[in-house]
């Protein structure tokens, strides 16, 4: 196990982490009304249905907001890092590290594309790059 912060994987999030391992960005869907939601959860915030599935999204989005994280230290990371809130083109908003962009280059509205950082056999993290 490498020294990074590891996500909690449970029944509601397993599909997401299986997706990142397969190079897919998967978003939970409601099988009753079709709404997409992130983060995943047991019931639909729109219609309260429990019947859920997921779909693979494009991985394209835009930066809604971001922070430059300088402190405190993050296990396995060299600071500073950019953490972005990304609006997926399909609607849901997702949090993730933005890489390959200097902290004075990032802009609200910047087009980004998901990529995948393989940490080890068990964990692949979604990351964001400038599109
Ligand atoms: Zn629903």
């Amino acid at each position: 196990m490498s020294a990074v912060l590891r996500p909690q994987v449970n029944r509601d999030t397993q599909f997401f982490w299986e997706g990142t391992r397969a190079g897919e960005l998967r978003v939970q869907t409601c099988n009753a009304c079709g709404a997409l939601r992130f983060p995943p959860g047991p019931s639909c915030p729109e219609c309260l249905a429990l019947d859920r599935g997921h779909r693979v999204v494009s991985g394209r989005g835009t930066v809604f907001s971001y922070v430059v994280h300088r402190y405190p230290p993050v296990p396995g990371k060299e600071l500073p890092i950019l953490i972005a809130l990304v609006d997926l083109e399909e609607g849901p908003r997702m949090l993730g590290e933005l890489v390959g962009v200097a902290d004075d280059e990032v802009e609200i509205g910047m087009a980004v594309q998901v990529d995948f950082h393989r940490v080890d056999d068990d964990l692949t993290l979604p990351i964001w790059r400038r599109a």
Side-chain angles (χ1 to χ4, degrees):
M1 303 281 258
S2 53
V4 299
L5 293 174
R6 305 187 76 88
Q8 291 280 333
V9 178
N10 61 35
R11 221 177 58 175
D12 288 323
T13 62
Q14 189 176 5
F15 76 90
F16 181 84
W17 298 109
E18 287 173 356
T20 59
R21 280 202 296 277
E24 294 178 350
L25 190 65
R26 298 176 181 175
V27 173
Q28 195 172 47
T29 57
C30 173
N31 288 339
C33 76
L36 292 171
R37 62 183 190 262
F38 188 88
S43 74
C44 175
E46 302 294 326
C47 75
L48 305 180
L50 296 171
D51 185 8
R52 54 200 185 271
H54 64 262
R55 62 175 264 214
V56 178
V57 294
S58 65
R60 289 189 295 271
T62 54
V63 174
F64 171 78
S65 185
Y66 65 93
V67 294
V68 181
H69 183 93
R70 302 179 193 281
Y71 190 85
V74 178
K77 292 288 179 188
E78 216 170 286
L79 300 182
I81 54 176
L82 278 169
I83 304 294
L85 260 181
V86 173
D87 280 338
L88 302 181
E89 66 178 13
E90 291 86 358
R93 187 167 286 164
M94 200 173 274
L95 192 68
E97 186 177 353
L98 179 60
V99 303
V101 180
D103 55 13
D104 59 354
E105 290 175 343
V106 59
E107 289 177 351
I108 304 298
M110 174 185 280
V112 292
Q113 172 73 46
V114 78
D115 196 1
F116 299 96
H117 171 61
R118 185 184 177 284
V119 175
D120 55 34
D121 286 348
D122 292 325
L123 179 62
T124 297
L125 295 170
I127 55 175
W128 297 91
R129 297 184 185 279
R130 194 194 321 235

